[in-house]
C-alpha cells in the first residue's frame, strides 16, 4: 500500500487480512496488532466505515481467543462508545451481543443463559436484527447463546442454539466466530 501511496485503502486491507485471512493460519491473538492498525488507519484517513467494522473484530476475536473477561470488557466499552458517537447503530447492536455475553460470563446478568442485561435485550433486539435483515448479527446471537449454554453445562440448549444458528452461518462467512460454531 505504501508502494502505491494507497493510504485510504489501508484500513480495509488490514481489516480483511486480520479478520478473514490470517486467523486460518495463525493464532487469533496474533492478529490483534493488525486489527489495531486497521482501526487507527481508518481514523487517520477518515475511513470510519472500516474502522467501525474493525471494532466488531476487536470485540469478538478476544472472546474466541479466550482472553481474560475483565480486560476484554474494559476494551469493549470505549469501542462501543466509538460506534455510538459515529451513529453506527447496527454495528453497535451487533457488538452488544459479545459485550452482553462477557457480562453474562462475569455474572452480571439475571440469567447467564439469557442475553438480556445492561447492553442487549434478546427479546427486543433479535426482532430488530431480523427486521433489519442483519443475519450476521442473528448468527452471532445464536452462536453466543450456544457458547453460554455449553459453558454453563446446558448441553441441550447449546445444541438447540447451534441448530437455530445454522441458517445464519453463511452470513458469518469466514469470521473467527464462525470457526467456533
Amino acid at each position: 500500500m505504501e508502494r502505491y501511496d494507497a493510504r485510504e485503502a489501508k484500513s480495509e486491507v488490514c481489516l480483511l487480512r486480520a479478520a478473514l485471512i490470517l486467523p486460518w493460519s495463525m493464532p487469533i491473538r496474533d492478529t490483534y496488532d493488525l486489527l489495531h492498525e486497521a482501526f487507527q488507519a481508518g481514523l487517520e484517513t477518515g475511513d470510519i466505515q472500516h474502522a467501525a467494522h474493525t471494532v466488531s473484530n476487536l470485540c469478538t476475536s478476544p472472546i474466541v481467543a479466550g482472553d481474560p473477561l475483565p480486560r476484554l470488557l474494559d476494551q469493549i466499552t470505549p469501542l462501543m462508545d466509538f460506534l455510538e458517537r459515529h451513529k453506527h447503530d447496527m454495528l453497535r447492536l451487533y457488538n452488544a451481543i459479545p459485550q452482553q455475553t462477557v457480562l453474562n460470563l462475569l455474572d452480571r446478568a439475571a440469567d447467564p443463559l439469557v442475553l438480556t442485561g445492561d447492553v442487549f435485550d434478546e427479546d427486543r433486539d433479535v426482532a430488530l436484527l431480523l427486521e433489519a435483515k442483519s443475519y450476521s448479527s442473528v448468527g452471532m446471537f445464536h452462536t453466543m447463546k450456544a457458547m453460554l449454554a455449553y459453558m454453563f453445562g446446558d448441553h441441550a440448549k447449546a445444541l438447540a442454539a447451534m441448530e437455530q444458528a445454522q441458517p445464519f452461518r453463511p452470513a458469518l462467512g469466514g469470521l473467527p466466530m464462525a470457526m467456533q460454531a
Side-chain angles (χ1 to χ4, degrees), residues 10-53:
K10 185 173 184 176
S11 181
E12 180 178 9
V13 170
C14 290
L15 170 61
L16 292 173
R17 284 189 67 224
L20 298 174
I21 298 169
L22 295 177
W24 297 98
S25 63
M26 65 178 14
I28 289 176
R29 281 187 185 98
D30 293 346
T31 67
Y32 294 176
D33 287 343
L34 193 56
L35 286 170
H36 287 287
E37 187 177 338
F39 182 69
Q40 192 61 40
L43 295 179
E44 290 172 3
T45 61
D47 187 357
I48 301 303
Q49 186 67 23
H50 285 101
H53 282 286

Side-chain angles (χ1 to χ4, degrees), residues 19-20 24 57 94 136 140 171-180:
L20 298 174
W24 297 98
N57 291 278
Y94 174 90
S136 60
M140 170 70 71
L172 292 174
L175 294 172
M177 192 53 60
M179 291 189 274
Q180 291 296 102

Side-chain angles (χ1 to χ4, degrees), residues 12-180:
E12 180 178 9
V13 170
C14 290
L15 170 61
L16 292 173
R17 284 189 67 224
L20 298 174
I21 298 169
L22 295 177
W24 297 98
S25 63
M26 65 178 14
I28 289 176
R29 281 187 185 98
D30 293 346
T31 67
Y32 294 176
D33 287 343
L34 193 56
L35 286 170
H36 287 287
E37 187 177 338
F39 182 69
Q40 192 61 40
L43 295 179
E44 290 172 3
T45 61
D47 187 357
I48 301 303
Q49 186 67 23
H50 285 101
H53 282 286
T54 300
V55 165
S56 297
N57 291 278
L58 289 169
C59 290
T60 57
S61 293
I63 292 175
V64 174
D67 285 4
L69 297 174
R71 185 179 77 203
L72 177 54
L73 191 57
D74 289 343
Q75 291 171 355
I76 289 175
T77 302
L79 295 171
M80 294 297 281
D81 292 343
F82 169 82
L83 294 174
E84 186 78 29
R85 273 193 320 277
H86 291 281
K87 301 190 182 340
H88 278 279
D89 296 332
M90 291 311 294
L91 282 174
R92 187 201 51 74
L93 197 52
Y94 174 90
N95 288 295
I97 298 166
Q99 185 180 23
Q100 186 62 53
T101 301
V102 171
L103 289 167
N104 283 32
L105 289 168
L106 290 170
D107 198 27
R108 296 188 195 171
D111 182 340
L113 301 182
V114 178
L115 283 171
T116 296
D118 293 342
V119 297
F120 191 84
D121 180 334
E122 67 179 56
D123 292 331
R124 176 194 66 214
D125 295 338
V126 172
L128 293 172
L129 295 169
L130 284 167
E131 183 181 322
K133 298 182 178 169
S134 181
Y135 299 133
S136 60
S137 299
V138 178
M140 170 70 71
F141 166 76
H142 290 299
T143 301
M144 292 288 103
K145 291 277 288 185
M147 184 186 76
L148 287 170
Y150 181 82
M151 292 178 80
F152 286 104
D154 193 331
H155 301 135
K157 280 189 180 175
L159 182 59
M162 287 313 298
E163 288 170 355
Q164 289 177 304
Q166 198 58 35
F168 304 102
R169 294 235 358 179
L172 292 174
L175 294 172
M177 192 53 60
M179 291 189 274
Q180 291 296 102

